[in-house]
Amino acid sequence: MAVTIRDVAKAAGVSASTVSRALSMPDVVEAATLERVTKVAEHLGYRPNRAARGLITGRTGNFGLILPDLANPFFPSVVKGIQLAAHRADYQVFVVDTDEDARAELGLVRNLAKQVDGIVLCSPRMKPAELREAASLVPVVLVNRREGSIPAVAVDNADGMRQIVRYLAGLGHRRIGYVAGPRSSWSNRARLKALQAECRGDGPELVALGNFDPSFDGGTAAAEGVLISGVTAVIGYNDLVALGVIGGLRERGVAVPADLSVVGIDNIAMSSMADPALTTLDLPKDVAGRAAVELLVQLLAETPPSRPIRELPTELVVRKSTAPRPRRTPNREHRRRRGDRDEPGPELRHAETDHRRRPDRLG
Protein backbone atom coordinates (compact mmCIF):
# COMPACT_ATOMS: atom_id res chain seq x y z
CA MET A 1 0.00 0.00 0.00
CA ALA A 2 1.08 3.59 -0.68
CA VAL A 3 2.68 5.42 2.24
CA THR A 4 0.41 8.22 3.54
CA ILE A 5 1.15 11.48 5.27
CA ARG A 6 -0.22 9.93 8.49
CA ASP A 7 2.36 7.13 8.24
CA VAL A 8 5.15 9.71 8.02
CA ALA A 9 3.67 11.70 10.94
CA LYS A 10 3.45 8.60 13.16
CA ALA A 11 7.01 7.51 12.38
CA ALA A 12 8.40 11.01 12.91
CA GLY A 13 6.43 11.60 16.12
CA VAL A 14 4.69 14.74 14.84
CA SER A 15 1.23 15.68 13.60
CA ALA A 16 0.08 15.23 10.00
CA SER A 17 -0.25 19.02 9.66
CA THR A 18 3.41 19.43 10.68
CA VAL A 19 4.44 16.95 7.98
CA SER A 20 2.34 18.88 5.46
CA ARG A 21 4.02 22.18 6.39
CA ALA A 22 7.48 20.60 6.36
CA LEU A 23 7.00 19.29 2.83
CA SER A 24 5.17 22.25 1.32
CA MET A 25 6.50 25.25 3.30
CA PRO A 26 9.82 24.16 4.85
CA ASP A 27 10.78 27.74 5.79
CA VAL A 28 8.11 27.85 8.51
CA VAL A 29 9.20 24.63 10.25
CA GLU A 30 11.98 24.36 12.84
CA ALA A 31 15.22 23.00 11.36
CA ALA A 32 15.38 19.91 13.62
CA THR A 33 11.74 18.98 12.91
CA LEU A 34 12.22 19.56 9.18
CA GLU A 35 15.27 17.30 9.09
CA ARG A 36 13.46 14.51 11.00
CA VAL A 37 10.36 14.66 8.79
CA THR A 38 12.27 14.69 5.50
CA LYS A 39 14.48 11.78 6.57
CA VAL A 40 11.47 9.71 7.61
CA ALA A 41 9.58 10.57 4.40
CA GLU A 42 12.58 9.55 2.30
CA HIS A 43 13.09 6.34 4.29
CA LEU A 44 9.43 5.32 3.90
CA GLY A 45 9.35 6.32 0.22
CA TYR A 46 6.57 8.85 0.73
CA ARG A 47 5.42 10.76 -2.38
CA PRO A 48 3.03 13.68 -1.74
CA ASN A 49 -0.32 13.69 -3.51
CA ARG A 50 -0.40 16.94 -5.43
CA ALA A 51 -4.18 17.12 -5.61
CA ALA A 52 -4.57 16.53 -1.88
CA ARG A 53 -1.83 19.01 -1.07
CA GLY A 54 -3.55 21.58 -3.27
CA LEU A 55 -6.80 21.19 -1.34
CA ILE A 56 -4.96 21.74 1.95
CA THR A 57 -2.64 24.58 0.95
CA GLY A 58 -4.61 26.22 -1.86
CA ARG A 59 -1.51 25.86 -4.05
CA THR A 60 -1.25 24.33 -7.52
CA GLY A 61 2.38 23.21 -7.34
CA ASN A 62 3.02 25.01 -10.66
CA PHE A 63 5.07 28.01 -11.76
CA GLY A 64 4.62 29.91 -14.99
CA LEU A 65 7.53 31.14 -17.13
CA ILE A 66 6.89 33.70 -19.85
CA LEU A 67 9.74 34.63 -22.20
CA PRO A 68 10.01 36.45 -25.55
CA ASP A 69 11.72 33.87 -27.78
CA LEU A 70 12.66 30.32 -26.84
CA ALA A 71 14.57 29.98 -30.13
CA ASN A 72 17.06 32.58 -28.88
CA PRO A 73 19.99 30.54 -27.44
CA PHE A 74 20.18 32.88 -24.44
CA PHE A 75 16.92 31.63 -22.93
CA PRO A 76 17.34 27.82 -22.74
CA SER A 77 20.11 28.21 -20.14
CA VAL A 78 17.82 30.44 -18.06
CA VAL A 79 15.01 27.90 -18.44
CA LYS A 80 17.29 25.07 -17.27
CA GLY A 81 18.20 27.05 -14.14
CA ILE A 82 14.53 27.74 -13.43
CA GLN A 83 13.48 24.13 -13.96
CA LEU A 84 16.27 22.77 -11.77
CA ALA A 85 15.43 25.08 -8.85
CA ALA A 86 11.68 24.53 -9.30
CA HIS A 87 12.11 20.75 -9.28
CA ARG A 88 14.10 20.95 -6.05
CA ALA A 89 11.25 22.99 -4.54
CA ASP A 90 8.74 20.37 -5.85
CA TYR A 91 7.20 22.64 -8.50
CA GLN A 92 6.42 22.06 -12.15
CA VAL A 93 7.03 24.81 -14.74
CA PHE A 94 4.70 25.91 -17.57
CA VAL A 95 6.79 27.63 -20.29
CA VAL A 96 5.16 30.14 -22.67
CA ASP A 97 6.88 31.86 -25.62
CA THR A 98 5.43 35.23 -26.71
CA ASP A 99 7.35 35.31 -30.02
CA GLU A 100 8.59 38.85 -29.18
CA ASP A 101 4.99 40.14 -28.99
CA ALA A 102 4.90 42.55 -26.05
CA ARG A 103 1.14 42.95 -26.44
CA ALA A 104 0.59 39.27 -25.58
CA GLU A 105 2.45 39.27 -22.25
CA LEU A 106 -0.15 40.74 -19.90
CA GLY A 107 -2.92 38.60 -21.39
CA LEU A 108 -0.82 35.50 -20.77
CA VAL A 109 -0.29 36.52 -17.14
CA ARG A 110 -4.04 36.92 -16.72
CA ASN A 111 -4.67 33.48 -18.23
CA LEU A 112 -1.99 31.74 -16.15
CA ALA A 113 -2.71 33.48 -12.84
CA LYS A 114 -5.32 30.93 -11.70
CA GLN A 115 -3.31 27.92 -12.86
CA VAL A 116 0.01 28.68 -11.15
CA ASP A 117 1.33 29.84 -7.78
CA GLY A 118 3.73 32.37 -9.28
CA ILE A 119 5.22 33.56 -12.57
CA VAL A 120 8.75 34.34 -13.73
CA LEU A 121 8.76 37.03 -16.42
CA CYS A 122 12.00 36.71 -18.38
CA SER A 123 13.06 39.84 -20.31
CA PRO A 124 9.48 41.16 -20.40
CA ARG A 125 8.68 43.93 -22.86
CA MET A 126 5.64 45.17 -20.92
CA LYS A 127 5.21 48.80 -19.94
CA PRO A 128 5.74 49.66 -16.24
CA ALA A 129 2.00 49.98 -15.55
CA GLU A 130 1.38 46.57 -17.13
CA LEU A 131 4.11 44.98 -15.00
CA ARG A 132 2.55 46.42 -11.87
CA GLU A 133 -0.84 45.01 -12.89
CA ALA A 134 0.75 41.61 -13.51
CA ALA A 135 2.33 41.66 -10.04
CA SER A 136 -1.08 42.46 -8.52
CA LEU A 137 -2.62 39.34 -10.07
CA VAL A 138 -0.04 36.74 -8.98
CA PRO A 139 3.40 36.67 -7.30
CA VAL A 140 5.87 37.77 -9.99
CA VAL A 141 9.65 37.78 -10.28
CA LEU A 142 11.41 39.54 -13.15
CA VAL A 143 14.55 38.30 -14.90
CA ASN A 144 16.62 40.69 -17.02
CA ARG A 145 14.34 43.57 -16.07
CA ARG A 146 13.83 45.89 -13.12
CA GLU A 147 10.69 47.80 -12.23
CA GLY A 148 10.14 49.49 -8.90
CA SER A 149 9.82 47.13 -5.95
CA ILE A 150 8.90 44.03 -7.97
CA PRO A 151 11.41 41.28 -7.04
CA ALA A 152 13.94 40.94 -9.84
CA VAL A 153 17.15 39.30 -10.99
CA ALA A 154 19.29 41.35 -13.36
CA VAL A 155 22.91 41.59 -14.44
CA ASP A 156 25.27 44.46 -13.68
CA ASN A 157 25.00 46.18 -17.07
CA ALA A 158 27.06 49.18 -15.96
CA ASP A 159 30.09 47.08 -15.05
CA GLY A 160 29.65 44.84 -18.08
CA MET A 161 29.67 47.75 -20.54
CA ARG A 162 32.60 49.26 -18.65
CA GLN A 163 34.59 46.05 -19.15
CA ILE A 164 33.90 46.04 -22.90
CA VAL A 165 34.66 49.72 -23.52
CA ARG A 166 37.87 49.71 -21.50
CA TYR A 167 39.05 46.56 -23.24
CA LEU A 168 38.42 48.06 -26.69
CA ALA A 169 39.96 51.37 -25.69
CA GLY A 170 43.02 49.46 -24.51
CA LEU A 171 43.30 48.05 -28.05
CA GLY A 172 43.36 51.62 -29.38
CA HIS A 173 39.77 51.89 -30.64
CA ARG A 174 38.50 55.48 -30.43
CA ARG A 175 35.22 55.17 -32.36
CA ILE A 176 32.97 52.33 -31.19
CA GLY A 177 29.55 51.33 -32.49
CA TYR A 178 26.62 49.76 -30.66
CA VAL A 179 24.06 47.79 -32.68
CA ALA A 180 20.97 48.31 -30.53
CA GLY A 181 18.21 45.78 -29.95
CA PRO A 182 14.44 46.31 -29.66
CA ARG A 183 13.27 49.70 -28.38
CA SER A 184 10.99 47.92 -25.90
CA SER A 185 13.89 45.99 -24.35
CA TRP A 186 14.89 47.14 -20.86
CA SER A 187 18.30 45.48 -21.31
CA ASN A 188 18.88 47.43 -24.51
CA ARG A 189 18.15 50.74 -22.80
CA ALA A 190 20.29 49.82 -19.78
CA ARG A 191 23.22 48.83 -22.00
CA LEU A 192 23.02 51.94 -24.16
CA LYS A 193 22.84 54.18 -21.09
CA ALA A 194 25.87 52.44 -19.55
CA LEU A 195 27.84 52.71 -22.80
CA GLN A 196 27.06 56.41 -23.10
CA ALA A 197 28.21 56.99 -19.53
CA GLU A 198 31.47 55.10 -20.06
CA CYS A 199 32.23 56.89 -23.36
CA ARG A 200 31.71 60.37 -21.91
CA GLY A 201 34.63 62.77 -21.49
CA ASP A 202 37.94 61.23 -22.53
CA GLY A 203 36.39 57.88 -23.48
CA PRO A 204 35.97 56.60 -27.04
CA GLU A 205 33.29 58.12 -29.26
CA LEU A 206 30.10 56.03 -29.25
CA VAL A 207 27.99 55.63 -32.39
CA ALA A 208 24.54 54.19 -31.67
CA LEU A 209 23.19 52.08 -34.54
CA GLY A 210 19.69 50.72 -34.41
CA ASN A 211 17.20 49.51 -33.50
CA PHE A 212 17.42 45.99 -34.94
CA ASP A 213 15.75 42.64 -34.44
CA PRO A 214 17.66 40.68 -31.74
CA SER A 215 18.61 37.94 -34.20
CA PHE A 216 21.32 36.88 -36.65
CA ASP A 217 19.32 38.47 -39.48
CA GLY A 218 19.08 41.69 -37.46
CA GLY A 219 22.87 41.77 -37.19
CA THR A 220 23.27 41.09 -40.90
CA ALA A 221 20.93 44.00 -41.65
CA ALA A 222 23.04 46.27 -39.43
CA ALA A 223 26.35 45.48 -41.19
CA GLU A 224 26.05 48.18 -43.86
CA GLY A 225 25.36 50.85 -41.24
CA VAL A 226 28.32 49.62 -39.19
CA LEU A 227 30.56 49.98 -42.24
CA ILE A 228 29.25 53.43 -43.19
CA SER A 229 29.63 54.76 -39.64
CA GLY A 230 33.42 54.55 -39.74
CA VAL A 231 33.75 52.71 -36.41
CA THR A 232 36.70 50.37 -35.87
CA ALA A 233 34.91 48.22 -33.28
CA VAL A 234 31.26 47.37 -32.74
CA ILE A 235 29.26 45.87 -29.85
CA GLY A 236 26.17 43.81 -30.66
CA TYR A 237 23.03 43.90 -28.52
CA ASN A 238 23.53 40.16 -28.06
CA ASP A 239 25.68 37.37 -29.51
CA LEU A 240 23.23 36.56 -32.30
CA VAL A 241 23.34 40.17 -33.50
CA ALA A 242 27.14 40.25 -33.24
CA LEU A 243 27.45 37.02 -35.25
CA GLY A 244 25.07 38.46 -37.85
CA VAL A 245 27.23 41.59 -38.10
CA ILE A 246 30.30 39.41 -38.72
CA GLY A 247 28.43 37.56 -41.48
CA GLY A 248 27.24 40.80 -43.08
CA LEU A 249 30.73 42.31 -43.00
CA ARG A 250 32.21 39.16 -44.52
CA GLU A 251 29.75 39.47 -47.44
CA ARG A 252 31.13 42.98 -48.03
CA GLY A 253 34.73 41.87 -47.99
CA VAL A 254 35.46 43.22 -44.51
CA ALA A 255 37.58 40.90 -42.35
CA VAL A 256 36.99 40.45 -38.61
CA PRO A 257 39.07 41.29 -36.64
CA ALA A 258 41.74 42.54 -39.11
CA ASP A 259 39.50 45.33 -40.42
CA LEU A 260 36.95 45.66 -37.65
CA SER A 261 36.53 44.19 -34.14
CA VAL A 262 33.20 42.74 -32.98
CA VAL A 263 31.99 42.04 -29.42
CA GLY A 264 28.81 40.24 -28.37
CA ILE A 265 26.82 39.94 -25.15
CA ASP A 266 25.48 36.69 -23.56
CA ASN A 267 28.21 34.08 -24.22
CA ILE A 268 25.85 31.58 -25.82
CA ALA A 269 27.36 28.19 -26.75
CA MET A 270 27.76 28.97 -30.45
CA SER A 271 29.83 32.11 -29.75
CA SER A 272 32.89 29.93 -29.08
CA MET A 273 32.22 27.83 -32.21
CA ALA A 274 32.03 30.75 -34.65
CA ASP A 275 34.81 31.74 -37.04
CA PRO A 276 36.32 33.82 -35.64
CA ALA A 277 35.34 32.81 -32.09
CA LEU A 278 33.37 35.69 -30.61
CA THR A 279 34.65 37.94 -27.85
CA THR A 280 31.62 38.36 -25.59
CA LEU A 281 30.31 39.36 -22.19
CA ASP A 282 29.38 36.27 -20.18
CA LEU A 283 26.06 36.54 -18.34
CA PRO A 284 25.28 34.00 -15.57
CA LYS A 285 22.13 32.70 -17.25
CA ASP A 286 21.42 29.53 -15.25
CA VAL A 287 22.30 31.33 -12.01
CA ALA A 288 19.72 33.99 -12.87
CA GLY A 289 17.08 31.29 -13.38
CA ARG A 290 17.82 29.63 -10.03
CA ALA A 291 17.83 32.98 -8.22
CA ALA A 292 14.42 33.84 -9.71
CA VAL A 293 12.86 30.65 -8.33
CA GLU A 294 14.44 31.26 -4.92
CA LEU A 295 12.79 34.69 -4.81
CA LEU A 296 9.45 33.23 -5.93
CA VAL A 297 9.53 30.52 -3.23
CA GLN A 298 10.26 33.18 -0.60
CA LEU A 299 7.31 35.25 -1.81
CA LEU A 300 5.00 32.23 -1.56
CA ALA A 301 6.20 31.55 1.99
CA GLU A 302 5.00 35.08 2.77
CA THR A 303 8.44 36.04 4.03
CA PRO A 304 9.78 39.19 2.33
CA PRO A 305 13.02 38.33 0.48
CA SER A 306 16.09 39.71 2.25
CA ARG A 307 17.37 40.87 -1.16
CA PRO A 308 14.37 41.37 -3.48
CA ILE A 309 16.61 42.88 -6.20
CA ARG A 310 19.59 40.72 -7.12
CA GLU A 311 22.27 42.06 -9.46
CA LEU A 312 24.59 39.42 -10.86
CA PRO A 313 28.18 40.00 -12.02
CA THR A 314 29.38 39.64 -15.63
CA GLU A 315 32.75 38.70 -17.10
CA LEU A 316 34.33 39.60 -20.45
CA VAL A 317 35.50 36.53 -22.38
CA VAL A 318 38.18 37.51 -24.91
CA ARG A 319 38.38 35.39 -28.05
CA LYS A 320 39.40 35.95 -31.69
CA SER A 321 36.91 38.54 -32.98
CA THR A 322 38.78 41.52 -31.50
CA ALA A 323 42.20 42.98 -32.28
CA PRO A 324 44.08 46.31 -32.08
CA ARG A 325 42.60 49.17 -34.10
CA PRO A 326 43.49 48.94 -37.81
CA ARG A 327 45.58 51.72 -39.38
CA ARG A 328 42.74 52.58 -41.79
CA THR A 329 39.05 52.79 -40.95
CA PRO A 330 37.17 49.77 -42.36
CA ASN A 331 35.02 51.95 -44.64
CA ARG A 332 37.97 53.62 -46.35
CA GLU A 333 39.91 50.37 -46.63
CA HIS A 334 36.85 48.72 -48.16
CA ARG A 335 36.59 51.55 -50.72
CA ARG A 336 40.29 51.26 -51.53
CA ARG A 337 39.96 47.53 -52.19
CA ARG A 338 37.07 48.18 -54.56
CA GLY A 339 39.07 50.89 -56.37
CA ASP A 340 36.80 53.73 -55.19
CA ARG A 341 37.96 57.17 -54.11
CA ASP A 342 39.73 57.05 -50.76
CA GLU A 343 37.45 59.76 -49.48
CA PRO A 344 34.23 59.49 -47.45
CA GLY A 345 31.28 59.45 -49.79
CA PRO A 346 28.00 61.27 -49.10
CA GLU A 347 26.62 58.28 -47.19
CA LEU A 348 29.47 58.34 -44.67
CA ARG A 349 29.37 62.13 -44.34
CA HIS A 350 25.63 61.91 -43.69
CA ALA A 351 26.13 59.18 -41.08
CA GLU A 352 28.76 61.19 -39.22
CA THR A 353 26.60 64.33 -39.24
CA ASP A 354 23.53 62.38 -38.16
CA HIS A 355 25.52 60.80 -35.32
CA ARG A 356 26.37 64.18 -33.87
CA ARG A 357 22.77 65.38 -34.04
CA ARG A 358 20.73 62.25 -33.37
CA PRO A 359 22.93 59.42 -32.07
CA ASP A 360 20.00 57.08 -31.56
CA ARG A 361 18.68 57.22 -35.10
CA LEU A 362 21.52 55.72 -37.13
CA GLY A 363 20.88 52.53 -39.06
Side-chain angles (χ1 to χ4, degrees), residues 123-184:
S123 299
R125 312 295 198 219
M126 276 186 270
K127 296 176 181 178
E130 293 173 325
L131 280 176
R132 291 192 292 271
E133 180 180 342
S136 72
L137 297 172
V138 63
V140 163
V141 172
L142 309 178
V143 173
N144 230 19
R145 174 77 183 265
R146 288 179 60 172
E147 181 57 43
S149 61
I150 300 175
V153 180
V155 299
D156 188 346
N157 282 293
D159 182 63
M161 299 307 103
R162 186 181 303 116
Q163 291 179 57
I164 294 174
V165 171
R166 293 186 180 182
Y167 166 68
L168 292 175
L171 293 176
H173 296 282
R174 299 301 302 164
R175 187 172 168 87
I176 298 172
Y178 172 61
V179 178
R183 291 185 184 276
S184 58

Side-chain angles (χ1 to χ4, degrees), residues 78-287:
V78 180
V79 173
K80 278 187 173 293
I82 289 172
Q83 288 182 324
L84 176 62
H87 177 73
R88 288 175 176 170
D90 199 25
Y91 277 89
Q92 304 299 313
V93 181
F94 296 158
V95 182
V96 182
D97 181 341
T98 68
D99 198 25
E100 290 285 354
D101 185 358
R103 297 168 298 180
E105 290 180 334
L106 184 56
L108 288 169
V109 172
R110 290 171 178 153
N111 290 337
L112 280 175
K114 294 182 179 180
Q115 304 175 55
V116 299
D117 299 327
I119 294 177
V120 176
L121 293 173
C122 193
S123 299
R125 312 295 198 219
M126 276 186 270
K127 296 176 181 178
E130 293 173 325
L131 280 176
R132 291 192 292 271
E133 180 180 342
S136 72
L137 297 172
V138 63
V140 163
V141 172
L142 309 178
V143 173
N144 230 19
R145 174 77 183 265
R146 288 179 60 172
E147 181 57 43
S149 61
I150 300 175
V153 180
V155 299
D156 188 346
N157 282 293
D159 182 63
M161 299 307 103
R162 186 181 303 116
Q163 291 179 57
I164 294 174
V165 171
R166 293 186 180 182
Y167 166 68
L168 292 175
L171 293 176
H173 296 282
R174 299 301 302 164
R175 187 172 168 87
I176 298 172
Y178 172 61
V179 178
R183 291 185 184 276
S184 58
S185 167
W186 177 86
S187 293
N188 179 65
R189 296 192 297 272
R191 289 166 187 172
L192 179 57
K193 182 179 178 181
L195 287 169
Q196 290 170 334
E198 186 62 26
C199 290
R200 245 179 237 123
D202 296 332
E205 180 183 3
L206 179 68
V207 180
L209 300 149
N211 301 84
F212 291 91
D213 189 74
S215 64
F216 184 90
D217 289 343
T220 303
E224 184 67 22
V226 169
L227 188 57
I228 291 172
S229 70
V231 300
T232 60
V234 64
I235 304 162
Y237 163 74
N238 62 18
D239 283 352
L240 287 179
V241 168
L243 292 171
V245 168
I246 291 175
L249 291 175
R250 183 180 291 122
E251 290 175 358
R252 292 164 174 79
V254 178
V256 175
D259 298 329
L260 195 147
S261 291
V262 179
V263 179
I265 299 171
D266 285 348
N267 195 24
I268 60 176
M270 68 179 68
S271 65
S272 63
M273 308 173 196
D275 183 20
L278 184 66
T279 293
T280 182
L281 190 71
D282 180 58
L283 308 186
K285 300 172 281 295
D286 60 331
V287 175

